[in-house]
Amino acid sequence: MPPTGTQTLVRTVFDQWRSENLSNAPADDAWEIFSSWLLLKDNDLTLDIIQAGVVDGQNDGGIDALYTLLEGSVVERDTAIVENPDIAREYAEGLELELHIIQAKNRESFTQAEVTKLHSVLPAALDLGQDIGDLKDELREEVREQIEVFRSTLKHLLVRRPRVSINISIVSRGTTSTIDQNVHSRAKRLQGDVKDLLPSADVQVNFVGADELWQIYDSRPPETIKLECDEILTSGESYVALAPLDNYINLICEPDYSIRRHLFDANVRDYEGQVAVNKEILATLEDPQSPEFWWLNNGVTILCDDATGAGKQFSLRNIQIVNGLQTSHTVAQWFKKHKEAGTLDRLDKAAKRKILVRIIVADNNSVRDSIIRATNRQTPVPEASLRATDRIQRQIEKFFESKGLFYDRRKGYYKNIGKDPGRIVSISYLGQAMYALAYGRPEVARGKPNSLLAEDARYKQSFDPGADLEVFYWAASVLRAVDSHLRSATSQVRYPERRYLSPFIAYATAVMALQKIPHHWTDLLALAREQKKFSDTELESAASSVKKCLDEYTRKYETTPSNATKRKPFTDYLANKLLSQKDQLML
């Protein structure tokens, strides 16, 4: 049967996307990443984060990729809520916890066998009454680790009554309208069995074919958003206005009142839950006799590239809400609660209350950063939260742009303006590259990537303001080259191992090139300035050495590869082996 027009479009789009982003990856591997990228498109995830969730391989239980999201942000193994149950007290009630399980096959059909494979193990894996370790024969360690992230997050948040959704997506280039009934029946049984285990969760098993993939790919967020106000004061290209709350909610929310998170990417803080100020906002909304809302609230600051007014309506292009995130989230949650409860009279009264809105036209990045830092210093903010506006971050961004890469210091910015996702480098990815290569600590880069931003000492080391910008670019380029090689057909490293071996292979290339262990960014300066590149042969040699050392180490110390690569003793063991190889060659 010849492919449909949509199937042809999807295949063409995929081939182009693969050529631009994952040219060295086998088609099936690239399809898994492409599918996951599309399905999570609204969450503004960079490609390296998408790739970190891919778990395809032997004993994967039919799961190709797996992601846990809390309020739209990816939860990783070293996220605080996973490791520390006590921190749940700091979270608001009713947060949205999502588990996305993706099976993506690069073919034009849906088969019962693949759904059966998921059904054979997934219910047991999500059974909180069963130890995930009991499934070690059915699921290898990497899959169990990712599932345990969700299980731990859910268990720790149960006291806060999270809104849980489990989305199982079965993806191919087939057409969903022609799926056999027995395949649908098996999917319904899978959905029912998971629902029985987690009765309060919204469980969905969805088939995603060519038509659905094209619809996701072809959808574009509006470049210009409208805001209607009641009162406006103008000063040059800046405005102060009073907007009805329902108009503001229409600006920042989808029809179901979920926040358009990308509008807040430039904000230095995320939603902080039921802290005192947010409780006060809720109390104001709940009390119909309270004074005007804008009398009691500082309002919001909106930056945009252009603001065009017609009467009392603004058309705002490329907006970022840089101050007022707490207010925005709290108001949106209040509106959503009363919409779902059907208390429309409360909504109608609140809708006409006013919020103070400052609109500033600022298409210059430096000006934007000054405003972001100034507006967020008016209330207590940890210094760590302001790192995206640090001078070194801005310098790295500009330097990378001159080299054809886009440094995502303001999370989601380049994705929102349509830049190639394969050329976007996140702050955490660069931090991992620097710690693995410049400071000789690949186990930290692999095991505790979040700590590179959360811990002040490690952040200052990773992003030393005095470091040569060439070193940042070279470190990122080496790690990207390693990742690209590991995805290629020539790599001998098994697919499941790539996620935790990548920083060690990058580290090994540096050790072998320097013939010593790097301890500071200055150790890499000569390599960076000569723009040293490693051939596929050199990268495969490094990968082979790392794999051999890891196999030896895990046998000798009776541990697992996953555990070994999170700890410094293996890094020391690897370095000694690499340098002893050099010494033997010199004899």
Side-chain angles (χ1 to χ4, degrees):
M1 182 176 179
T4 66
T6 306
Q7 287 175 317
T8 301
L9 281 173
V10 169
R11 187 173 65 248
T12 301
V13 165
F14 167 64
D15 289 340
Q16 292 173 344
W17 185 91
R18 178 187 172 202
S19 175
E20 294 170 358
N21 299 293
L22 300 169
S23 59
N24 291 329
D28 290 349
D29 293 354
W31 177 258
E32 293 167 353
I33 299 169
F34 175 74
S35 300
S36 301
W37 173 70
L38 278 180
L39 291 171
L40 297 172
K41 179 181 176 183
D42 291 338
N43 296 99
D44 297 335
L45 305 183
T46 56
L47 211 57
D48 50 292
I49 294 176
I50 293 290
Q51 291 177 82
V54 174
V55 295
D56 177 37
Q58 188 176 10
N59 292 341
D60 61 14
I63 302 171
D64 293 325
L66 193 150
Y67 307 88
T68 298
L69 284 80
L70 183 60
E71 286 292 287
S73 297
V74 169
V75 181
E76 300 183 73
R77 292 183 303 278
D78 60 328
T79 302
I81 190 62
V82 177
E83 297 184 333
N84 181 9
D86 295 333
I87 205 167
R89 293 193 299 266
E90 301 176 16
Y91 283 74
E93 290 193 354
L95 296 181
E96 186 175 11
L97 176 64
E98 304 169 68
L99 175 64
H100 290 268
I101 295 169
I102 299 169
Q103 182 187 87
K105 301 306 175 188
N106 185 24
R107 56 174 177 243
E108 293 183 353
S109 63
F110 295 91
T111 67
Q112 184 176 3
E114 297 299 341
V115 184
T116 300
K117 191 175 181 182
L118 278 172
H119 196 188
S120 67
V121 69
L122 189 55
L126 295 177
D127 184 352
L128 300 184
Q130 180 174 339
D131 188 342
I132 190 71
D134 294 342
L135 298 174
K136 63 182 179 181
D137 293 331
E138 291 84 4
L139 294 173
R140 71 170 186 281
E141 186 175 14
E142 290 75 16
V143 183
R144 300 198 309 272
E145 277 187 352
Q146 291 284 62
I147 293 176
E148 186 57 31
V149 169
F150 170 76
R151 287 163 54 107
S152 295
T153 304
L154 175 58
K155 285 188 287 188
H156 296 166
L157 282 176
L158 280 176
V159 294
R160 311 306 296 167
R161 294 189 290 276
R163 292 176 290 114
V164 181
S165 62
I166 298 175
N167 302 291
I168 303 168
S169 299
I170 301 169
V171 187
S172 84
R173 288 183 283 108
T175 55
T176 54
S177 61
T178 60
I179 297 175
D180 289 340
Q181 185 57 43
N182 60 351
V183 180
H184 277 296
S185 298
R186 174 63 75 173
K188 286 186 179 297
R189 290 200 293 274
L190 169 61
Q191 180 179 2
D193 288 349
V194 174
K195 182 70 175 178
D196 289 342
L197 289 167
L198 299 168
S200 63
D202 177 21
V203 181
Q204 299 292 330
V205 179
N206 295 310
F207 291 97
V208 182
D211 291 333
E212 292 77 16
L213 288 170
W214 176 252
Q215 185 176 0
I216 296 171
Y217 181 85
D218 196 45
S219 63
R220 294 288 185 272
E223 295 183 357
T224 300
I225 305 178
K226 298 184 184 300
L227 175 64
E228 190 162 335
C229 302
D230 282 352
E231 304 295 334
I232 301 171
L233 176 65
T234 303
S235 176
E237 287 192 307
S238 300
Y239 311 87
V240 177
L242 291 177
L245 279 179
D246 60 346
N247 290 353
Y248 180 68
I249 285 295
N250 290 337
L251 175 81
I252 66 169
C253 290
E254 301 294 347
D256 64 352
Y257 294 107
S258 60
I259 291 285
R260 292 171 177 157
R261 297 183 62 86
H262 67 280
L263 301 182
F264 297 87
D265 286 336
N267 204 289
V268 301
R269 291 185 295 186
D270 205 346
Y271 185 55
E272 295 184 332
Q274 296 301 304
V275 295
V277 65
N278 292 341
K279 289 179 179 178
E280 292 171 3
I281 295 170
L282 282 173
T284 302
L285 291 169
E286 291 288 356
D287 181 6
Q289 304 303 319
S290 66
E292 279 283 358
F293 184 84
W294 71 275
W295 295 359
L296 307 178
N297 185 272
N298 289 334
V300 300
T301 301
I302 298 176
L303 302 186
C304 60
D305 290 347
D306 184 61
T308 304
K312 293 186 177 181
Q313 185 181 80
F314 286 105
S315 294
L316 308 174
R317 181 165 60 86
N318 192 26
I319 80 167
Q320 287 291 307
I321 300 171
V322 301
N323 186 252
L325 182 145
Q326 306 303 318
T327 296
S328 300
H329 274 259
T330 303
V331 172
Q333 288 185 8
W334 187 89
F335 269 70
K336 184 173 185 177
K337 181 183 75 171
H338 284 283
K339 176 70 172 180
E340 293 174 346
T343 50
L344 301 182
D345 57 326
R346 303 287 300 277
L347 282 177
D348 290 341
K349 290 178 181 178
K352 300 310 173 187
R353 292 187 172 190
K354 308 295 190 300
I355 185 171
L356 182 67
V357 180
R358 291 171 291 275
I359 301 171
I360 303 172
V361 177
D363 56 2
N364 179 284
N365 287 339
S366 296
V367 173
R368 282 186 171 222
D369 290 340
S370 298
I371 296 170
I372 292 169
R373 185 172 284 268
T375 55
N376 283 281
R377 284 197 180 279
Q378 293 171 7
T379 54
V381 179
E383 187 65 28
S385 298
L386 297 170
R387 286 171 176 163
T389 62
D390 285 355
R391 183 182 180 189
I392 184 62
Q393 299 292 340
R394 190 163 57 249
Q395 289 174 333
I396 294 170
E397 180 184 36
K398 192 68 175 177
F399 187 79
F400 274 35
E401 188 175 0
S402 72
K403 297 285 189 177
L405 294 180
F406 303 103
Y407 184 56
D408 205 36
R409 66 182 181 89
R410 291 168 294 167
K411 178 179 171 292
Y413 177 76
Y414 286 107
K415 176 182 180 296
N416 292 336
I417 62 175
K419 296 300 183 182
D420 179 359
R423 306 197 69 79
I424 297 175
V425 177
S426 66
I427 293 179
S428 60
Y429 189 87
L430 181 57
Q432 286 178 285
M434 288 295 289
Y435 233 74
L437 286 140
Y439 299 100
R441 298 295 302 274
E443 81 284 352
V444 175
R446 177 269 192 270
K448 291 281 187 180
N450 286 342
S451 69
L452 300 178
L453 299 177
E455 296 179 16
D456 195 57
R458 283 181 172 170
Y459 170 77
K460 289 180 177 178
Q461 189 176 37
S462 300
F463 297 98
D464 183 349
D468 192 300
L469 295 176
E470 289 279 4
V471 175
F472 290 107
Y473 176 75
W474 186 80
S477 298
V478 171
L479 189 56
R480 282 165 54 84
V482 169
D483 287 338
S484 178
H485 174 75
L486 292 180
R487 292 191 298 264
S488 71
T490 60
S491 173
Q492 298 302 306
V493 176
R494 294 186 304 116
Y495 194 93
E497 302 168 331
R498 298 173 189 174
R499 177 168 54 86
Y500 56 78
L501 289 186
S502 178
F504 286 90
I505 296 170
Y507 168 72
T509 63
V511 170
M512 290 190 288
L514 293 169
Q515 298 187 2
K516 68 175 184 178
I517 300 171
H519 294 292
H520 192 262
W521 65 263
T522 52
D523 294 330
L524 303 182
L525 192 55
L527 295 175
R529 286 182 172 170
E530 78 174 77
Q531 299 181 21
K532 169 69 175 175
K533 295 183 179 179
F534 298 100
S535 66
D536 282 345
T537 300
E538 290 172 310
L539 293 174
E540 187 56 37
S541 174
S544 178
S545 296
V546 171
K547 185 67 171 65
K548 180 180 178 181
C549 285
L550 183 59
D551 291 342
E552 293 174 356
Y553 184 90
T554 52
R555 286 196 301 268
K556 182 176 181 179
Y557 295 100
E558 298 181 346
T559 186
T560 66
S562 181
N563 283 331
T565 52
K566 294 176 185 175
R567 291 165 174 79
K568 193 171 186 297
F570 173 65
T571 300
D572 296 336
Y573 183 90
L574 173 62
N576 289 333
K577 287 287 185 178
L578 293 171
L579 293 176
S580 66
Q581 289 175 12
K582 178 209 66 171
D583 292 338
Q584 291 171 11
L585 290 173
M586 292 174 64
L587 292 176

